[in-house]
Structure formats: structure tokens, C-alpha cells
Amino acid sequence: MANEHVCPCTVGCPLQKAMTAIGGKWKMSIICSLSNDGVTRYNELKRKMKGISNTMLAKSLKELEDDGLIKRTEYLEVPVRVEYEITDAVRSLIPILTELAVWGNSI
């Protein structure tokens, strides 16, 4: 059919990709915490995320790292020290999130 409309969001939608990368119950809280506090160790981050399990924190951090939104640095010390920080991708996202927050307050 020549007039059939195909939604571009059904095939590789970049907006859907972005929402998947930052969506979920904990990812935005992790991003905000790291953005506000800078480099943070795992246990410190865990204390700030009230109610998150170790499994969910580890899963969320891994997904954020896989998507290039946070950087994980492991120091081979005893005990091992692991630190997390935001990447330039998140730094470029902060103004967008700020505008989204303004919009959220207006609805």
C-alpha cells in the first residue's frame, strides 16, 4: 500500500534507545548521584540508593557501563577498590535532563 504509514519508532528508534539506556527504576538515580557527587565507590553509592539490592545495583551499573554512560575503574588493591563516574556522554545529557525536569515540574 502506497499510503500505509510506518512509524519510524518501530525500527531502531534513537529516542527508544535513549530511553532504554536511562530508563528503569534506578538508572536515573545512579546517574544523578554520580553527576552530583563525582567519582563514587560502590558501597558509597549503595548507601545513597535507599532500597536497592546489591544485585539490582550491580545490574544497573553494568548496563550503564555497557551503554557508555558511566566509567568503572577497578584498583588492584587489597581489598579491591572500584569507583564509578559519569562519562562525557552523560555530561552532554545533563542539560537535556535539566530541561526535562523543568518540563516535568510544569505538567
Side-chain angles (χ1 to χ4, degrees):
M1 290 184 191
N3 292 334
E4 183 177 328
H5 177 72
V6 177
C7 177
C9 291
T10 59
V11 181
C13 175
L15 184 55
Q16 187 63 43
K17 180 180 176 184
M19 296 308 293
T20 299
I22 62 172
K25 183 174 181 180
W26 298 105
K27 288 182 181 180
M28 191 55 60
S29 294
I30 292 168
I31 288 169
C32 286
S33 180
L34 292 175
S35 176
N36 289 330
D37 300 335
V39 177
T40 306
R41 293 177 72 169
Y42 180 90
N43 285 331
E44 186 180 345
L45 192 56
K46 171 91 167 77
R47 281 191 292 278
K48 292 176 184 177
M49 304 288 113
K50 302 287 186 212
I52 192 170
S53 67
N54 278 320
T55 302
M56 184 53 69
L57 179 57
K59 179 180 182 288
S60 297
L61 288 168
K62 178 69 172 130
E63 289 174 1
L64 288 166
E65 182 183 12
D66 289 347
D67 288 331
L69 301 178
I70 64 168
K71 178 183 171 193
R72 178 183 189 273
T73 304
E74 183 175 319
Y75 298 91
L76 300 178
E77 302 170 349
V78 179
V80 173
R81 176 172 49 116
V82 177
E83 295 179 339
Y84 295 90
E85 62 185 302
I86 61 171
T87 62
D88 288 339
V90 170
R91 284 183 194 88
S92 70
L93 179 61
I94 297 302
I96 298 165
L97 295 176
T98 301
E99 286 299 313
L100 190 58
V102 168
W103 178 79
N105 278 331
S106 73
I107 59 171

